[in-house]
Amino acid sequence: MPLAGYVVYIVKLLLFTAAALLVCSAQTTGDNFAGGVADGWMAAIARHVERALAPAAYRSLVAFAACFELMGFGCGSGPLTGHYLPAFTAPLWHWLTPGTVRLPPFGRGATRTSGHVLLYAASCGALAVAAAGVAPERASAAVCVALLAAVGLVDLPAFLAARPEHYGTVLLCVALADDDEAWLLGAKVVTTALWLWAGVAKLNLHFPSVVCAMLSNSPLVRSAALRRMLYIAPPQDLRPSAIARLLAHAGIVAEVALPLALWSPAEGVRQAAACGLTAFHLWIIANAPMGAPNEWNVVMIASVWSLFMRSGNLGVTQLGTLARANAMLAGVLVLLCVFMPLFGNLFPSHCSFLLSMRYYAGNWPYSAW
């Protein structure tokens, strides 16, 4: 893709980050941005980042990101996924238009009605309200979860666009939790499951080819010689080279070992793991992967520092207390973070790759390069 095409993603990512920063920092007390400019722009931005990464603000970040994705501005948008003019087609040209095609998971009927449009719009509105924090957290999260579930019953693609395996599950934790400690622990479990199952998804024969495809299309790798080093003997033999396989194995190790290290009681270990995972996700963003999950990677970076570094006192020992105090929340976490991905890996044709967290193992039953 021409370098000019990447400008769309750079601008969109900066706008998303700035908007998320303002929305999240507004959830905690402190001086406003305008009042802090007198002390310097960098100091004002640093204060906003500090407030936005407060654990209490993480609920707003999740709701904001889910709304962003559900409106069609996140994954799957722009020229990297074949959307040019307009670059964001789903909400205005499809999900808000009666008469367009929908895909219900059960039953018949493939035509979108005005009721489906209103349900979709209500879901976006509920997520926006939850992000703004203008309603009680548990009630607002419960409404978001209920509306997203209703959307899933009538239109599976719209439901999956909101990233229910991540954002929806965290909102469900907020709705079911008795206190902040419970939902923060739940959010940490969900985030850890995302990393671990993504690492498991890389345990296949084709992941080195994923590395080849990503780096060959990366805006960072402009040298033809470096690109050829990713393959055995291009153009005759396009199998991954030893370098590509080494990078693939390094990705597996990082995505499995570093999240587990975040649960360490030693602060130094957690800091090293946090820096490693931050670099890991920044590397993915910088390579502009074709699925365009840039904003999701920003949320994962925020999760590292908000959930694990700012809430480092909530560790493995507290999980047992959570299971005894809130059996329903613990059961939901086991179901959605263990059994659902396990089922999806064993029977991929019956479960979305998102719900089964098979991010590198193919969309539905299989992938072929």
Side-chain angles (χ1 to χ4, degrees):
M1 187 174 69
L3 287 177
Y6 295 108
V7 174
V8 174
Y9 294 99
I10 295 174
V11 173
K12 185 163 70 75
L13 188 62
L14 291 174
L15 291 175
F16 171 85
T17 304
L21 186 64
L22 293 175
V23 168
C24 293
S25 63
Q27 307 308 311
T28 55
T29 58
D31 57 345
N32 57 40
F33 182 76
V37 172
D39 300 328
W41 286 93
M42 294 303 297
I45 293 175
R47 282 194 296 273
H48 268 268
V49 171
E50 179 73 12
R51 288 163 52 186
L53 290 179
Y58 189 76
R59 290 178 296 229
S60 291
L61 174 62
V62 167
F64 176 79
C67 185
F68 188 87
E69 297 286 351
L70 185 58
M71 293 178 67
F73 298 124
C75 299
S77 64
L80 280 172
T81 56
H83 300 101
Y84 302 102
L85 293 175
F88 317 104
T89 59
L92 296 179
W93 292 63
H94 196 89
W95 292 337
L96 285 176
T97 304
T100 53
V101 176
R102 64 184 178 93
L103 178 62
F106 311 106
R108 298 180 179 179
T111 302
R112 195 178 314 277
T113 66
S114 298
H116 299 136
V117 170
L118 290 175
L119 181 59
Y120 167 76
S123 300
C124 294
L127 289 169
V129 170
V134 296
E137 290 85 359
R138 290 187 64 183
S140 183
V143 171
C144 290
V145 171
L147 287 173
L148 285 175
V151 170
L153 292 175
V154 299
D155 192 7
L156 188 58
F159 169 72
L160 295 175
R163 300 303 299 270
E165 87 288 359
H166 182 183
Y167 305 140
T169 307
V170 172
L171 289 172
L172 185 57
C173 290
V174 175
L176 295 177
D178 300 320
D179 51 36
D180 285 348
E181 182 175 301
W183 77 258
L184 283 170
L185 272 171
K188 293 177 77 167
V189 170
V190 173
T191 309
T192 303
L194 292 170
W195 280 313
L196 295 182
W197 284 110
V200 170
K202 293 178 178 179
L203 297 173
N204 54 61
L205 296 177
H206 77 259
F207 181 65
S209 295
V210 175
V211 173
C212 293
M214 183 179 75
L215 294 182
S216 294
N217 290 278
S218 170
L220 299 180
V221 184
R222 308 307 298 174
S223 168
L226 290 177
R227 292 178 176 178
R228 283 194 294 268
M229 291 173 62
L230 298 170
Y231 304 91
I232 291 180
Q236 291 81 12
D237 191 341
L238 295 180
R239 289 176 296 170
S241 67
I243 294 177
R245 291 196 299 271
L246 178 62
L247 292 173
H249 296 325
I252 296 173
V253 173
E255 206 154 19
V256 172
L258 293 178
L260 295 177
L262 284 177
W263 289 86
S264 171
E267 184 175 357
V269 175
R270 293 201 308 272
Q271 289 177 345
C275 292
L277 279 169
T278 300
F280 177 82
H281 286 286
L282 286 176
W283 170 250
I284 296 175
I285 294 172
N287 283 281
M290 286 181 285
N294 301 317
E295 292 80 14
W296 180 75
N297 278 280
V298 170
V299 173
M300 293 300 284
I301 293 173
S303 301
V304 170
W305 297 97
S306 180
L307 294 178
F308 291 91
M309 298 309 295
R310 296 289 294 273
S311 301
N313 60 312
L314 301 177
V316 177
T317 56
Q318 281 74 32
L319 289 177
T321 304
L322 171 65
R324 291 188 297 269
N326 195 327
M328 180 177 292
L329 176 56
V332 166
L333 289 174
V334 171
L335 175 64
L336 297 181
C337 297
V338 178
F339 287 109
M340 178 70 78
L342 183 61
F343 174 80
N345 276 273
L346 294 176
F347 306 99
S349 61
H350 299 290
C351 185
S352 164
F353 79 105
L354 292 173
L355 298 179
S356 56
M357 303 180 188
R358 288 165 47 86
Y359 303 112
Y360 300 95
N363 286 3
W364 292 97
Y366 61 87
S367 278
W369 289 90

